[in-house]
């Protein structure tokens, strides 16, 4: 009887170990596969002359945007897409290229984030499962519409207005003093809407989904960790959709955002406990509003 019990416990431990490895292995395998495919399909574009020529003033701008956006996201748990998209639109980058660049870069930044949160035990697996499929469906739909149906020039002012709304959500969240815990209903609808708006607008998964869940009184640690873990799948699905229907454009943007985000990640992790979140959130919200107003002024 004792032997059977030991075998049973060993089996449980084995399957638990497999699950643990899957949480880390799946993002790693997907990212390696994506990187290999991109290099194989576009290796001709990475000539030495093109590589050297790409490191110009524009690249430094995109690199700086990646650094700042990652610092915002790493310290606040949201805002990477909203911040980077606002800067890119204000700089004159078209919505489709902007959203594609942001989401391809987020494949790598959110993958690293998901692994880190899992390592620190910040993930509620049930919450991730409830957000995952609806979020992916919403993001794929939004990415397809922006790539193949919606006119980017037509939607650009609406995206700028949407960014202002996201900024107001961030500021409102920072201004709230006490939160009464309430039961969160219709997670699927929330995730679908968040994924859709994230793809079409170039950002919004965090401000929409994270803010709503935290506003309902959910535990910040598990909420941020779980939403970030689900965001990897959302970003990956939308990024692949953009590449399939819109192709790859703006390599400077993508590489600049990725390098900036990767290099800024350790600094963001260090600063998360060093700076006050509420003033930072208000400052970021105001900055996004100003950038979006600048974009609107160019279109009017």
């Amino acid at each position: 009887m004792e032997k059977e019990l030991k075998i049973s416990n060993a089996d449980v431990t084995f399957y638990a170990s497999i699950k643990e490895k899957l949480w880390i292995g799946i993002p790693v395998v997907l990212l390696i596969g994506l990187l290999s495919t991109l290099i194989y399909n576009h290796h001709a574009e990475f000539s030495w002359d093109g590589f050297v020529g790409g490191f110009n003033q524009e690249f430094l701008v995109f690199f700086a945007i990646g650094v700042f956006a990652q610092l915002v996201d790493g310290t606040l748990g949201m805002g990477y897409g909203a911040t980077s998209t606002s800067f890119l639109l204000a700089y004159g980058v078209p919505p489709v290229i902007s959203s594609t660049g942001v989401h391809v870069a987020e494949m790598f930044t959110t993958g690293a984030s998901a692994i880190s949160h899992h390592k620190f035990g910040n993930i509620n697996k049930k919450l991730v499962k409830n957000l995952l499929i609806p979020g992916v469906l919403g993001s794929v739909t939004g990415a397809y519409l922006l790539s193949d149906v919606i006119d980017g020039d037509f939607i650009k002012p609406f995206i700028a207005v949407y960014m202002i709304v996201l900024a107001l959500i961030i500021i409102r969240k920072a201004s709230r003093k006490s939160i009464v815990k309430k039961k969160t209903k219709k997670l699927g609808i929330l995730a679908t809407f968040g994924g859709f708006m994230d793809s079409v607008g170039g950002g919004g998964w965090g401000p929409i989904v994270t803010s709503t869940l935290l506003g309902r009184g959910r535990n910040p640690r598990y909420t941020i960790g779980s939403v970030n873990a689900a965001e990897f799948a959302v970003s990956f699905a939308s990024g692949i959709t953009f590449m399939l229907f819109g192709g790859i454009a703006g390599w400077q943007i993508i590489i600049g955002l990725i390098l900036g985000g990767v290099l800024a990640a350790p600094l963001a992790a260090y600063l998360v406990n060093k700076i006050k979140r509420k003033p930072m959130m208000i400052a970021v919200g105001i900055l996004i509003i100003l950038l979006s107003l600048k974009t609107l002024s160019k279109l009017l």
Side-chain angles (χ1 to χ4, degrees):
M1 187 73 177
E2 289 182 3
K3 186 176 181 180
E4 290 179 1
L5 184 61
K6 287 180 180 179
I7 293 173
S8 179
N9 288 338
D11 288 341
V12 170
T13 303
F14 173 75
Y15 288 119
S17 175
I18 292 295
K19 287 182 179 180
E20 291 294 311
K21 290 177 181 178
L22 284 175
W23 275 92
I24 298 175
I26 289 175
V28 170
V29 170
L30 287 175
L31 289 176
I32 291 175
L34 170 67
L35 191 59
S36 301
T37 302
L38 291 177
I39 292 174
Y40 178 78
N41 290 334
H42 300 276
H43 63 277
E45 299 173 31
F46 292 105
S47 64
W48 177 250
D49 291 338
F51 182 75
V52 173
F55 284 93
N56 52 24
Q57 184 178 347
E58 279 200 333
F59 175 81
L60 292 177
V61 170
F62 301 138
F63 176 81
I65 292 173
V67 170
F68 184 75
Q70 185 60 38
L71 289 175
V72 170
D73 191 71
T75 52
L76 304 184
M78 67 177 71
Y80 181 91
T83 304
S84 53
T85 299
S86 298
F87 270 108
L88 291 173
L89 290 177
Y91 191 69
V93 178
V96 175
I97 296 177
S98 172
S99 195
T100 301
V102 169
H103 284 91
V104 172
E106 278 188 317
M107 289 180 181
F108 295 88
T109 57
T110 57
S113 178
I115 292 172
S116 299
H117 279 297
H118 176 70
K119 280 288 188 181
F120 286 105
N122 297 339
I123 294 177
N124 180 327
K125 294 177 182 177
K126 183 178 179 181
L127 178 57
V128 173
K129 290 177 182 178
N130 287 330
L131 296 173
L132 200 63
I133 294 177
V136 166
L137 292 175
S139 69
V140 169
T141 303
Y144 167 71
L145 290 176
L146 185 59
S147 298
D148 212 43
V149 178
I150 301 174
D151 183 354
D153 292 332
F154 173 78
I155 201 175
K156 195 170 184 178
F158 296 99
I159 295 177
V161 173
Y162 168 63
M163 287 298 158
I164 293 175
V165 173
L166 290 185
L168 293 174
I169 290 174
I170 293 173
I171 294 172
R172 179 174 175 270
K173 184 194 167 196
S175 305
R176 297 185 70 175
K177 295 181 179 179
S178 58
I179 300 174
V180 179
K181 188 171 184 179
K182 300 176 183 178
K183 187 176 181 181
T184 308
K185 298 179 180 178
K186 300 179 180 178
L187 281 173
I189 295 176
L190 173 66
T192 303
F193 179 70
F196 179 83
M197 294 307 298
D198 188 78
S199 289
V200 173
W205 175 260
I208 291 172
V209 180
T210 304
S211 292
T212 300
L213 295 178
L214 291 178
R216 307 294 291 183
R218 279 184 172 264
N219 184 294
R221 172 187 171 187
Y222 293 110
T223 298
I224 292 173
S226 303
V227 173
N228 281 351
E231 187 178 13
F232 169 69
V234 171
S235 299
F236 201 93
S238 59
I240 292 295
T241 305
F242 277 122
M243 286 189 283
L244 287 175
F245 290 98
I248 287 291
W251 276 107
Q252 280 185 313
I253 299 172
I254 295 171
I255 296 175
L257 291 177
I258 291 174
L259 290 179
V262 170
L263 292 177
L267 179 59
Y270 172 77
L271 292 175
V272 71
N273 294 319
K274 301 292 182 181
I275 61 175
K276 295 182 179 179
R277 294 183 80 239
K278 287 190 175 183
M280 176 72 169
M281 291 175 75
I282 293 173
V284 169
I286 293 172
L287 176 62
I288 292 174
I289 290 173
L290 293 175
L291 289 170
S292 300
L293 289 175
K294 180 182 178 182
T295 301
L296 285 172
S297 68
K298 292 180 178 179
L299 301 172
L300 298 177

